Amino acid sequence: MILVTGGTGLVGAHLILHLLNENQPIRAIYRNEKKFDTVKRIFGYYTDSAEDLFSKIEWVKADLNDIPLLIEAFKGITKVYHCAAFVSFEPDKFELLRKTNIEGTANIVNLCLSERVKKLCYVSSIAAIGTPTIETDIITEDNDWNPEFDNSVYAITKYGAELEVWRGTQEGLDAIIVNPGIIIGPGIWNYGSGSLITMVDKGMRYYTTGSTGYVDVLDVVSIMTQLMESDIKNERFILVAENLSFKDFIYKTALHLDVHPPNKEAGPFLLSIAWRLDWLKHILTGKRRVMSKQNAKSAISKTIYSNQKIQSALGYQFKDVDSSILHTTTYFKSDFN
């Protein structure tokens, strides 16, 4: 049996659907029953049998740090896809990020070892890839992590989680790590690329000229399963279809949503004011941070990621980003119009 953590998330839900279509027995960990509707909605984008497929999943309510419940969830498991994570760039959320992403992953690794799981796939992020000393350099899996760099709290904990996976491989666990870029896919509109699509639909005044890597959720799922079925082990792979500027992504999204794109650039000076005002508002009101110093810096940083390693390993051809945006915005409009 296959265990999926984070089964109600964007990657987790698409992964489970993919595995169910291959008639694989699935056990999935969740935290909140309210998110089951999201999973069924995502299933419904691709099949008329969403309810029937959903009923085949063996759901287990558990927290990544609840060891007794996790032990029960691991009984009879042969492969694990660890998709669960806490995503936040708010500095004051560091302890929760560390508890979920690092300690939670350590628990998953330990149980994989104790239960003699055949293989683990960990969904990390390009945030955990080392940053080059020269901005124009192409980033690969071989870039060294620089602890002196001004890394976001999210990046720090995803890198820490990867260290736990590597520790597991030293103790005999077969594992792979995937490092997706910004994942494009339908169904979750309040965080990740879905929240950006929501913002574009509502109307944005400013764009930024930084760049990063993007990838379709279906590509992520397909590569994960191919790697798990292969003899490849103890390797990490950057999953990026294309590198685009934030401006290009926003403009492509606005085009497919039939809304006006932003027409003003937010440069370094404006962003430096914005994150400081956001910090001050947080101090005075206690409201959640919207922009951190690291977010502001990444918004104007031009990062370029290589997908050569995964292309060489699997001969994989990615979907182009414009098609991914069109596919995702089509379901966005059907959900809200």
Side-chain angles (χ1 to χ4, degrees):
M1 178 170 278
I2 295 172
L3 178 67
V4 177
T5 73
T8 59
L10 182 67
V11 173
H14 280 85
L15 172 64
I16 289 172
L17 179 60
H18 179 93
L19 294 171
L20 287 172
N21 284 330
E22 293 187 340
N23 295 315
Q24 300 279 5
I26 305 297
R27 185 178 296 155
I29 291 175
Y30 75 99
R31 293 185 61 194
N32 190 337
E33 293 91 343
K34 293 180 181 179
K35 293 187 177 181
F36 285 166
D37 288 339
T38 300
V39 177
K40 293 176 184 178
R41 185 172 69 250
I42 290 173
F43 283 13
Y45 296 150
Y46 306 97
T47 176
D48 293 328
S49 306
E51 287 286 349
D52 290 340
L53 287 170
F54 185 86
S55 67
K56 294 180 180 180
I57 306 165
E58 182 182 331
W59 290 100
V60 177
K61 188 171 186 178
D63 185 275
L64 292 181
N65 290 291
D66 191 328
I67 304 300
L69 289 178
L70 286 179
I71 290 173
E72 290 298 313
F74 265 79
K75 288 183 177 179
I77 295 299
T78 56
K79 293 180 181 178
V80 174
Y81 290 89
H82 181 28
C83 308
F86 177 52
V87 181
S88 175
F89 296 91
E90 301 170 77
D92 63 317
K93 297 292 191 298
F94 177 73
E95 285 303 316
L96 182 55
L97 282 159
R98 182 185 60 79
K99 188 76 174 174
T100 303
N101 296 344
I102 300 178
E103 293 184 21
T105 300
N107 293 333
I108 296 297
V109 168
N110 291 339
L111 284 166
C112 284
L113 288 165
S114 64
E115 298 300 316
R116 301 184 184 278
V117 167
K118 292 180 180 179
K119 202 169 185 180
L120 165 70
C121 176
Y122 174 57
V123 182
S124 185
S125 166
I126 53 171
I129 300 287
T131 305
T133 54
I134 301 174
E135 188 178 75
T136 54
D137 285 354
I138 296 176
I139 299 172
T140 72
E141 291 84 352
D142 295 327
N143 279 82
D144 293 327
W145 175 265
N146 182 3
E148 301 301 321
F149 186 77
D150 190 16
N151 298 292
S152 70
V153 287
Y154 174 68
I156 291 168
T157 59
K158 292 298 279 186
Y159 175 72
E162 286 193 13
L163 292 181
E164 292 296 337
V165 177
W166 296 133
R167 187 258 305 169
T169 64
Q170 294 298 309
E171 296 177 20
L173 175 64
D174 289 347
I176 55 169
I177 294 175
V178 292
N179 297 85
I182 294 178
I183 301 173
I184 307 168
I188 297 178
W189 311 114
N190 58 344
Y191 65 84
S193 65
S195 66
L196 183 54
I197 290 170
T198 301
M199 290 169 60
V200 173
D201 185 65
K202 290 180 178 179
M204 295 178 67
R205 294 177 58 193
Y206 295 94
Y207 63 83
T208 61
T209 56
S211 65
T212 191
Y214 297 83
V215 64
D216 193 289
V217 67
L218 296 179
D219 282 335
V220 174
V221 166
S222 178
I223 291 171
M224 288 167 63
T225 54
Q226 287 184 50
L227 287 171
M228 286 289 274
E229 293 300 321
S230 74
D231 293 329
I232 299 169
K233 62 180 181 179
N234 306 343
E235 298 278 355
R236 74 195 303 213
F237 296 91
I238 291 173
L239 306 188
V240 164
E242 295 178 48
N243 296 281
L244 286 179
S245 70
F246 296 117
K247 178 182 179 182
D248 284 345
F249 179 82
I250 291 169
Y251 271 59
K252 287 176 183 290
T253 302
L255 175 66
H256 291 307
L257 289 173
D258 299 318
V259 299
H260 292 294
N263 56 12
K264 296 180 180 179
E265 178 183 347
F269 178 70
L270 183 60
L271 288 169
S272 68
I273 293 174
W275 76 258
R276 286 176 170 86
L277 289 176
D278 184 69
W279 170 82
L280 183 61
K281 183 175 72 172
H282 169 71
I283 293 298
L284 295 176
T285 67
K287 290 185 177 180
R288 293 186 62 177
R289 296 287 299 273
V290 176
M291 178 179 290
S292 67
K293 178 182 177 183
Q294 292 78 20
N295 289 143
K297 184 176 180 180
S298 67
I300 55 175
S301 297
K302 294 179 172 62
T303 48
I304 304 171
Y305 295 90
S306 170
N307 61 14
Q308 187 58 50
K309 184 176 180 180
I310 191 62
Q311 285 188 328
S312 298
L314 298 179
Y316 196 85
Q317 295 299 313
F318 289 90
K319 296 176 177 64
D320 66 272
V321 170
D322 191 61
S323 296
S324 299
I325 296 172
L326 174 59
H327 175 257
T328 302
T329 53
T330 298
Y331 286 115
F332 177 88
K333 289 188 286 188
S334 70
D335 282 348
F336 293 101
N337 294 336

